[in-house]
Amino acid sequence: GAVVSQHPSWVICKSGTSVKIECRSLDFQATTMFWYRQFPKQSLMLMATSNEGSKATYEQGVEKDKFLINHASLTLSTLTVTSAHPEDSSFYICSARPLDLPNTGELFFGEGSRLTVL
Amino acid sequence: GQNIDQPTEMTATEGAIVQINCTYQTSGFNGLFWYQQHAGEAPTFLSYNVLDGLEEKGRFSSFLSRSKGYSYLLLKELQMKDSASYLCAVRDTGGFKTIFGAGTRLFVKA
């Protein structure tokens, strides 16, 4: 149990285009999902907390108009990188904490999405 | 502010024991986690401590001292496949936001 699926695994796009990344909890419900970004050889940086049915909470320094987050259901959150630029190239990882499964509160991560902006 | 410190890199020999330290200063504390991450992959959960003391799980053990803001991950009987980054993470109170340290890259040599 507690499987998180992320799609696409990798994407290459042209500068100025928008890219949508999906994060799904396959066998549990998650009212809260977290979006992280990871640059090479660096740790995960929390971008935002995605709450089902409400607006996402963004971390300081993260542009909410550039990184649009939608949490439309208890099993799906999406991150849209709008008007992508080369500096947005990174590894984006979502995570979720199941509320209806016994666990110690650890996060379950998606496989990650590697974005390359040309 | 939030600050989680851990060594950048460590090298150990196959079959040996290695201890990876983590110190933290966070505005809230609701548990400390250790995750393993292989290059290009998502992190996987290793351990969780919320009370002081040692938690043992197979070859991996994790220790926590809340008063000192200190934790360590102990890996025994090292195997080549243990070469990875080990991330120390602290969960904040309320909202369950989890902040990660920069990670320790462990190299296991034969």
Side-chain angles (χ1 to χ4, degrees):
Chain A
V3 178
V4 178
S5 177
Q6 199 170 329
H7 177 80
S9 300
W10 56 272
V11 58
I12 301 173
C13 69
K14 293 182 179 179
S15 185
T17 61
S18 294
V19 175
K20 178 185 285 188
I21 301 170
E22 294 187 346
C23 179
R24 295 181 183 272
S25 54
L26 298 185
D27 50 2
F28 66 95
Q29 293 183 331
T31 58
T32 303
M33 291 184 176
F34 303 91
W35 286 96
Y36 290 85
R37 179 169 56 182
Q38 185 175 35
F39 292 106
K41 297 185 179 181
Q42 297 186 24
S43 190
L44 285 76
M45 298 299 296
L46 180 63
M47 299 176 65
T49 303
S50 169
N51 300 296
E52 186 269 335
S54 64
K55 292 182 179 181
T57 303
Y58 289 82
E59 294 300 301
Q60 190 174 9
V62 178
E63 300 176 58
K64 62 180 181 181
D65 294 330
K66 180 169 183 61
F67 299 99
L68 301 179
I69 292 173
N70 183 279
H71 196 148
S73 75
L74 290 173
T75 60
L76 173 64
S77 175
T78 61
L79 168 67
T80 302
V81 183
T82 63
S83 186
H85 289 95
E87 58 264 31
D88 297 324
S89 299
S90 186
F91 192 50
Y92 292 88
I93 310 178
C94 72
S95 67
R97 176 177 175 270
L99 296 181
D100 54 354
L101 292 175
N103 66 86
T104 55
E106 71 268 28
L107 297 176
F108 295 90
F109 288 87
E111 306 94 326
S113 299
R114 185 165 301 284
L115 171 64
T116 301
V117 184
L118 302 177
Chain B
Q2 314 277 47
N3 195 41
I4 301 175
D5 289 319
Q6 49 183 131
T8 304
E9 290 186 357
M10 297 182 72
T11 301
T13 305
E14 191 176 19
I17 299 173
V18 70
Q19 177 175 312
I20 303 174
N21 296 322
C22 171
T23 57
Y24 64 90
Q25 292 175 312
T26 56
S27 55
F29 181 84
N30 191 23
L32 187 142
F33 300 83
W34 284 94
Y35 289 84
Q36 180 191 61
Q37 185 180 27
H38 286 96
E41 299 180 7
T44 55
F45 169 76
L46 288 179
S47 69
Y48 167 72
N49 295 72
V50 68
L51 299 176
D52 291 350
L54 187 69
E55 295 284 340
E56 297 184 82
K57 186 189 295 184
R59 295 191 298 116
F60 297 83
S61 302
S62 57
F63 171 84
L64 175 67
S65 169
R66 289 172 296 170
S67 62
K68 296 181 179 179
Y70 168 71
S71 173
Y72 68 73
L73 178 69
L74 194 70
L75 293 79
K76 304 175 184 177
E77 301 171 13
L78 280 174
Q79 303 174 9
M80 299 299 287
K81 67 177 182 179
D82 296 329
S83 294
S85 287
Y86 291 86
L87 309 177
C88 175
V90 174
R91 186 172 66 189
D92 203 347
T93 51
F96 301 105
K97 186 168 69 174
T98 302
I99 304 299
F100 286 79
T104 298
R105 296 181 69 198
L106 174 66
F107 299 94
V108 179
K109 59 182 182 180

